[in-house]
Amino acid sequence: DGSCVRDTPDVRDAPDGTAAPLAPGAQSWFDRGLALESTNSAAAEAAYRQALALAPDLEAACLNLGAMFCEGGRYAELADMSEAAVKHCPASALIHFNHGVALDHLERLPEALDSYEQCLALDPAQADAHFNLGRLREQLGDTRGALRHFSAYRRLQR
């Protein structure tokens, strides 16, 4: 599947499961972006960018801005933004997935493979990452690798 994922949490969680404090205003900018997405995508994008300027590790803003780039076919921007996001949120399987989608569309296949693999290392249950890896492995002539990922995809769809 070539679609990016988005997120809509009220607060982000720290690795230990407690709510992590946000920079002042970052949550408000994120909430504004979320509210504007369906009516004013330019204003939503600006709000997400402002949230990320205040809190570059705000995973939900990275994901939603990335999904907007993806939906608009803005894969170079998605690649740049998600490359930065990976540095701020290295444990986010979904950011690695979105990065893989961008690189896949830009035909930077070895890097896309790495991003999808990193996504699965963090969360082996990401079915779409298995599907995309299967498709890329098939494209590259790795039938065995493709079958392994397509099988995992099918198992996870049940």
Side-chain angles (χ1 to χ4, degrees):
D1 172 328
S3 301
C4 292
V5 292
R6 63 176 66 242
D7 198 1
T8 57
D10 293 326
V11 297
R12 66 194 172 109
D13 292 331
D16 64 2
T18 61
L22 287 174
Q27 185 68 46
S28 296
W29 282 107
F30 172 78
D31 292 341
R32 184 175 301 168
L34 200 56
L36 289 166
E37 263 195 59
S38 62
T39 59
N40 187 338
S41 61
E45 180 178 326
Y48 287 141
R49 287 181 186 275
Q50 187 61 39
L52 289 170
L54 294 169
D57 60 341
L58 181 53
E59 179 184 20
C62 294
L63 291 172
N64 289 8
L65 181 58
M68 289 179 72
F69 288 159
C70 190
E71 290 160 2
R74 297 161 60 188
Y75 298 110
E77 287 175 88
L78 174 58
D80 291 342
M81 192 272 305
S82 58
E83 194 167 307
V86 162
K87 292 176 183 153
H88 292 288
C89 304
S92 171
L94 299 178
I95 288 175
H96 286 281
F97 177 81
N98 283 1
H99 193 212
V101 170
L103 297 168
D104 193 346
H105 280 278
L106 295 171
E107 298 185 12
R108 293 165 54 186
L109 301 188
E111 294 167 274
L113 287 168
D114 289 344
S115 289
Y116 291 137
E117 292 284 0
Q118 185 60 42
C119 169
L120 290 173
L122 293 164
D123 183 358
Q126 287 295 324
D128 289 340
H130 280 292
F131 181 84
N132 290 357
L133 270 169
R135 188 181 41 74
L136 289 179
R137 294 271 178 219
E138 190 173 57
Q139 244 180 286
L140 297 170
D142 178 6
T143 306
R144 177 178 243 164
L147 287 173
R148 188 177 91 242
H149 286 291
F150 285 139
S151 293
Y153 173 77
R154 279 191 299 278
R155 267 193 320 277
L156 291 166
Q157 292 301 300
R158 290 186 196 142

